[in-house]
């Protein structure tokens, strides 16, 4: 049986947590800045749309984008939300690997029989469950390895929240994927691959 791995990635996680706590911020350009007011560490879709860059120094962002709401990071809050999201994943599989505060791999192999759904439908079910329990939006990529699940999760952000790369779709997906987009491929490997 081929393994089925999903990567669950919380969307604009720090900002989303702040919007859950203060719903009036939803739909607005919002950035979370590092504790020492050093730089932007999370952006809402609206903030991205107006041009705020990740890592942008706070003093520059505030001057260039004065209509954006800037919030000082509250890491204890984000840890609390992260634990709630990860607890939701444990409802769907005993094999959950927390990768970072806002990402986790979940092994869905064999769960089709349990849930009587295909893997894409299971991913949608997980996404809806997390939203219902935490009000956090997530993107989920589904495939046969962690690397491919990561690639799929990046595509899921622009494809309705869930993206699946199966074996049939794989050759075409790889043809239209730049080597820089592949998780874990460093600069030296990029240079080597581009020689060919």
């Amino acid at each position: 049986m081929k393994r089925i791995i999903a990567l669950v990635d919380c969307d604009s996680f720090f900002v989303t947590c702040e919007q859950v706590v203060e719903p009036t911020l939803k739909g607005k350009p919002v950035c979370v800045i590092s504790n020492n007011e050093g730089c932007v560490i999370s952006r809402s879709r609206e903030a991205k749309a107006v041009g705020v860059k990740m890592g942008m120094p706070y003093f520059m962002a505030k001057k260039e984008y004065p209509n954006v709401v800037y919030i000082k990071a509250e890491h204890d809050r984000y840890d609390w939300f992260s634990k709630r999201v990860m607890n939701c994943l444990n409802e769907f599989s005993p094999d959950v690997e927390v990768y970072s505060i806002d990402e986790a791999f979940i092994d869905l192999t064999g769960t089709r029989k349990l849930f009587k759904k295909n893997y894409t439908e299971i991913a949608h079910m997980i996404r809806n469950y997390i939203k219902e329990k935490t009000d956090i939006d997530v993107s989920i990529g589904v495939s046969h390895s962690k690397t491919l699940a990561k690639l799929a999760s990046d595509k899921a952000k622009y494809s309705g929240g869930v993206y699946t790369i199966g074996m049939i779709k794989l050759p075409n997906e790889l043809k239209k994927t730049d080597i820089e987009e592949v998780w874990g491929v460093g600069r030296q490997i990029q240079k080597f691959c581009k020689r060919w």
Side-chain angles (χ1 to χ4, degrees):
M1 182 183 293
K2 287 191 175 77
R3 290 184 73 199
I4 303 295
I5 307 295
L7 178 66
V8 179
D9 184 4
C10 300
D11 299 336
S12 303
F13 184 54
F14 295 170
V15 165
T16 303
C17 293
E18 297 295 345
Q19 290 173 325
V20 172
V21 172
E22 183 48 72
T24 60
L25 295 174
K26 291 182 179 182
K28 293 181 180 178
V30 180
C31 290
V32 170
I33 56 171
S34 54
N35 286 334
N36 58 0
E37 296 189 347
C39 61
V40 173
I41 58 174
S42 184
R43 305 163 296 160
S44 67
R45 287 181 186 270
E46 294 78 12
K48 292 174 188 177
V50 299
V52 182
K53 301 287 187 285
M54 185 66 99
M56 191 174 195
Y58 171 57
F59 75 91
M60 288 177 59
K62 191 174 182 182
K63 183 177 179 181
E64 195 168 343
Y65 305 102
N67 295 326
V68 172
V69 178
Y70 297 95
I71 300 171
K72 189 174 176 180
E74 294 281 352
H75 290 287
D76 288 344
R77 174 176 294 163
Y78 311 145
D79 285 340
W80 184 82
F81 273 104
S82 177
K83 286 171 184 168
R84 293 188 67 206
V85 171
M86 302 311 166
N87 286 340
C88 288
L89 297 182
N90 288 318
E91 298 291 323
F92 294 89
S93 172
D95 191 352
V96 175
E97 179 188 338
V98 178
Y99 180 66
S100 68
I101 192 170
D102 63 345
E103 289 179 291
F105 292 100
I106 176 171
D107 193 331
L108 296 176
T109 309
T111 56
R112 274 191 312 187
K113 290 181 180 178
L114 176 65
F115 296 114
K116 295 181 172 55
K117 297 177 184 293
N118 65 40
Y119 291 116
T120 301
E121 290 170 336
I122 293 169
H124 278 289
M125 186 169 64
I126 293 170
R127 187 171 187 266
N128 292 338
Y129 185 75
I130 292 171
K131 180 67 173 177
E132 177 189 331
K133 294 295 182 181
T134 69
D135 203 19
I136 300 291
D137 289 311
V138 299
S139 297
I140 303 179
V142 182
S143 196
H144 298 288
S145 70
K146 290 179 181 178
T147 300
L148 291 172
K150 175 68 173 170
L151 179 63
S153 76
D154 292 339
K155 295 176 181 289
K157 294 182 187 301
Y158 310 99
S159 307
V162 172
Y163 197 86
T164 302
I165 300 177
M167 294 307 291
I168 294 173
K169 196 192 288 188
L170 181 57
N172 190 49
E173 288 288 348
L174 294 179
K175 280 181 188 175
K176 60 185 183 182
T177 300
D178 292 331
I179 191 69
E180 292 87 351
E181 295 178 59
V182 179
W183 174 60
V185 175
R187 290 180 182 175
Q188 293 306 315
I189 296 176
Q190 288 176 26
K191 288 178 185 176
F192 176 79
C193 290
K194 285 183 176 180
R195 288 178 193 165
W196 308 97

